[in-house]
Amino acid sequence: MQKLLSLILLFTAATAMAGTGKWTSPAIGKSLNYKTSSASGTPAKDASGKLMTIVYLENLSVPKMGQNSNADDVAWLRNAGYQVIELDYENHEKAVSPTLNLDIIAINSSLQNGSFCGCTCSTSRSYILMEGYRIQRDIPYYQDDPTIYNFPDVYKDSQGDNLYLDLIYPANPSVSVPVLVTFSYSNSYATNSSGKLTDANKHKRLFLPYCWGAFKDSFVEGVSALGFAWAICDHPKYCDWGQGKYTGGANKSLGAIEVNPDAARKVKSAVRTVRGIGRDLGLNGNVAVTGFSRGSTAAALAVGDASVEAFEDTSRGKYPEESSLVQCAVLGPGMFDYSQALTSSTEYSHMNSYVTANPDCPWYMQGALATIKTNASAPTLFFYNTDDYYKDNNKNPQGLYSSQAALMKAKLDEVGTATEVLSGYSSGHNVPQTTDKLQVMYDFLLAHIPVPSPTGISSHHDHHHTSDDATYTLMGTRTNAAYRGLVIRNGKIYINK
């Protein structure tokens, strides 16, 4: 009797951790079935004790790059400690990019409030994965130098924490794939609690209330529908954003800015780390970078091909043997040349005090333009709103960030590197959210980093029929309807059958 009771209790506990229901998808305009499952072993939790969560989108109408079954990948995620929420799209024809981005926005909006589909979730450690993808979390990519920002006081005397990144990749891929790397616009940092360091604000790179959730930013997580892996990295400024001081400087003298050569070394190390780790995961070595706001300021440092000696120090970095060059960039509003900021702005005054106190770190090094030398620099799309005056008290009529983008674009145009501009898609300090504008961004990405055609994808259905004499763009060449495989039509990836 006791044994039977124990079995009943175990069964009850197991079933209590699983649930089913329906969630209404903005992307396809109907309810989807969902299933929730708890971690198989010890649950992974964030610093506040909330459950790390994977929202897993399955049975999509895009090629599945990973060859494992969904059941195997979900089991792997649960064994890794994640709570998993599966959304079943039933191969609906609208379950394609960039339409799926509407759901990514809606899911992150819910997750940033701490729940989704009846589950309590971490607001800083919850991810949206498309079927076939897995995650490597907390990959160290650089050991921070605590004397750069000197904050908090107890941290500046330590050896320095690692900066980390999370890499989401197709498991057991049918072909090797490229990766999109982004730098968070939520800062991770060491925390001083009664004279002791704590981890309370480590791993805040995906803190949704400051990052993708708050800004309805879906570009990076949506790239899986194109067959890319993606990585999100701690922002190079390992410090509470408004804090930091240079040695001998006043309190908050580095507030609201990141400084080189420190930031450039970190950005380059992040690219090298993703490239090195990716060799064992089926990545093909092609890397694109993207970012928004302070994340764009960081990502821009990877665009140029010039070797600035002070930027190349790898002593605190990882994978020094790998290249830090990237093949493409999609940059949102950011600071690319601090010397051209308004002299009344916080950014200018703080950077001026820094370069004055540090003669080895002149103005020309404090931004991405120093890294651009030849047309081997990465093709770059700039996106911004023309009325984005963020922290611009004098209201530059061009907008602070449109002026910054124009400076960097002019430099790239001068050396013959391809550029494109997406502007005026909304207003203020925001990201593109509509499918037509996101399509422009994805088209640019695919134009410069084509995704290899996968094999083993016949189980996916193409709902877009065309005439026998239709032609398509495939890896930059033209092919006709006799071709059977992955094609790009009007910027979207489909199976030609």
Side-chain angles (χ1 to χ4, degrees), residues 51-126:
L51 294 173
M52 298 188 195
T53 302
I54 302 293
V55 180
Y56 188 83
L57 314 185
E58 59 191 20
N59 298 320
L60 305 172
S61 283
V62 297
K64 183 180 176 185
M65 304 301 287
Q67 298 181 94
N68 299 328
S69 70
N70 287 339
D72 284 346
D73 282 336
V74 169
W76 185 92
L77 292 166
R78 293 179 64 204
N79 285 335
Y82 296 101
Q83 169 181 249
V84 180
I85 303 170
E86 299 171 67
L87 292 179
D88 186 357
Y89 283 81
E90 298 180 335
N91 301 112
H92 193 282
E93 62 180 354
K94 291 185 178 180
V96 295
S97 173
T99 308
L100 277 171
N101 291 59
L102 299 175
D103 283 3
I104 293 172
I105 290 171
I107 293 166
N108 278 332
S109 293
S110 184
L111 289 171
Q112 75 165 329
N113 293 319
S115 65
F116 184 63
C117 288
C119 297
T120 300
C121 310
S122 169
T123 60
S124 58
R125 310 284 266 163
S126 292

Side-chain angles (χ1 to χ4, degrees), residues 41-260:
T42 302
K45 298 180 180 180
D46 65 18
S48 65
K50 299 296 177 60
L51 294 173
M52 298 188 195
T53 302
I54 302 293
V55 180
Y56 188 83
L57 314 185
E58 59 191 20
N59 298 320
L60 305 172
S61 283
V62 297
K64 183 180 176 185
M65 304 301 287
Q67 298 181 94
N68 299 328
S69 70
N70 287 339
D72 284 346
D73 282 336
V74 169
W76 185 92
L77 292 166
R78 293 179 64 204
N79 285 335
Y82 296 101
Q83 169 181 249
V84 180
I85 303 170
E86 299 171 67
L87 292 179
D88 186 357
Y89 283 81
E90 298 180 335
N91 301 112
H92 193 282
E93 62 180 354
K94 291 185 178 180
V96 295
S97 173
T99 308
L100 277 171
N101 291 59
L102 299 175
D103 283 3
I104 293 172
I105 290 171
I107 293 166
N108 278 332
S109 293
S110 184
L111 289 171
Q112 75 165 329
N113 293 319
S115 65
F116 184 63
C117 288
C119 297
T120 300
C121 310
S122 169
T123 60
S124 58
R125 310 284 266 163
S126 292
Y127 310 81
I128 300 172
L129 270 61
M130 296 190 189
E131 60 184 348
Y133 281 73
R134 294 182 181 180
I135 179 173
Q136 276 202 22
R137 194 184 74 243
D138 302 342
I139 300 169
Y141 78 84
Y142 196 90
Q143 185 180 6
D144 184 54
D145 180 349
T147 67
I148 300 298
Y149 296 103
N150 295 289
F151 178 87
D153 285 341
V154 68
Y155 175 65
K156 69 183 181 183
D157 297 322
S158 73
Q159 294 299 308
D161 291 341
N162 279 317
L163 277 72
Y164 295 92
L165 62 85
D166 304 320
L167 178 61
I168 289 75
Y169 61 96
N172 186 24
S174 51
V175 292
S176 58
V177 302
V179 59
L180 178 67
V181 176
T182 192
F183 294 86
S184 176
Y185 42 100
S186 174
N187 292 67
S188 302
Y189 53 94
T191 302
N192 180 359
S193 178
S194 301
K196 294 183 178 180
L197 293 175
T198 76
D199 294 342
N201 289 294
K202 276 188 180 181
H203 305 305
K204 298 295 283 288
R205 54 192 165 274
L206 198 57
F207 184 53
L208 292 169
Y210 285 1
C211 196
W212 293 343
F215 283 88
K216 296 180 169 41
D217 191 345
S218 64
F219 179 65
V220 174
E221 288 184 299
V223 82
S224 298
L226 305 183
F228 275 68
W230 58 269
I232 181 165
C233 309
D234 278 330
H235 189 276
K237 185 176 183 179
Y238 190 70
C239 175
D240 190 2
W241 182 247
Q243 301 289 337
K245 59 184 178 181
Y246 55 88
T247 302
N251 188 38
K252 299 187 179 181
S253 56
L254 293 180
I257 61 171
E258 63 187 52
V259 296
N260 284 334

Side-chain angles (χ1 to χ4, degrees), residues 183-373:
F183 294 86
S184 176
Y185 42 100
S186 174
N187 292 67
S188 302
Y189 53 94
T191 302
N192 180 359
S193 178
S194 301
K196 294 183 178 180
L197 293 175
T198 76
D199 294 342
N201 289 294
K202 276 188 180 181
H203 305 305
K204 298 295 283 288
R205 54 192 165 274
L206 198 57
F207 184 53
L208 292 169
Y210 285 1
C211 196
W212 293 343
F215 283 88
K216 296 180 169 41
D217 191 345
S218 64
F219 179 65
V220 174
E221 288 184 299
V223 82
S224 298
L226 305 183
F228 275 68
W230 58 269
I232 181 165
C233 309
D234 278 330
H235 189 276
K237 185 176 183 179
Y238 190 70
C239 175
D240 190 2
W241 182 247
Q243 301 289 337
K245 59 184 178 181
Y246 55 88
T247 302
N251 188 38
K252 299 187 179 181
S253 56
L254 293 180
I257 61 171
E258 63 187 52
V259 296
N260 284 334
D262 179 72
R265 292 170 179 172
K266 290 170 177 173
V267 167
K268 289 175 175 293
S269 187
V271 172
R272 292 184 180 112
T273 300
V274 169
R275 193 167 262 133
I277 291 287
R279 293 187 184 280
D280 296 326
L281 297 176
L283 276 59
N284 64 17
N286 286 330
V287 179
V289 292
T290 189
F292 170 74
S293 197
R294 70 191 69 165
S296 179
T297 303
L301 293 168
V303 168
D305 67 314
S307 179
V308 180
E309 184 177 0
F311 294 177
E312 302 301 329
D313 185 344
T314 61
S315 59
R316 287 181 170 266
K318 312 292 182 183
Y319 293 91
E321 73 282 0
E322 296 287 350
S323 170
S324 63
L325 296 178
V326 302
Q327 283 66 55
C328 181
V330 178
L331 300 179
M335 296 296 295
F336 310 132
D337 185 348
Y338 283 98
S339 70
Q340 297 301 311
L342 291 175
T343 56
S344 60
S345 69
T346 301
E347 287 84 358
Y348 182 93
S349 61
H350 284 185
M351 189 61 78
N352 184 53
S353 66
Y354 173 72
V355 299
T356 300
N358 294 274
D360 293 335
C361 305
W363 273 109
Y364 82 89
M365 287 172 49
Q366 302 309 319
L369 274 64
T371 71
I372 299 169
K373 184 178 181 180

Side-chain angles (χ1 to χ4, degrees), residues 374 416 483:
T374 76
Y483 173 78

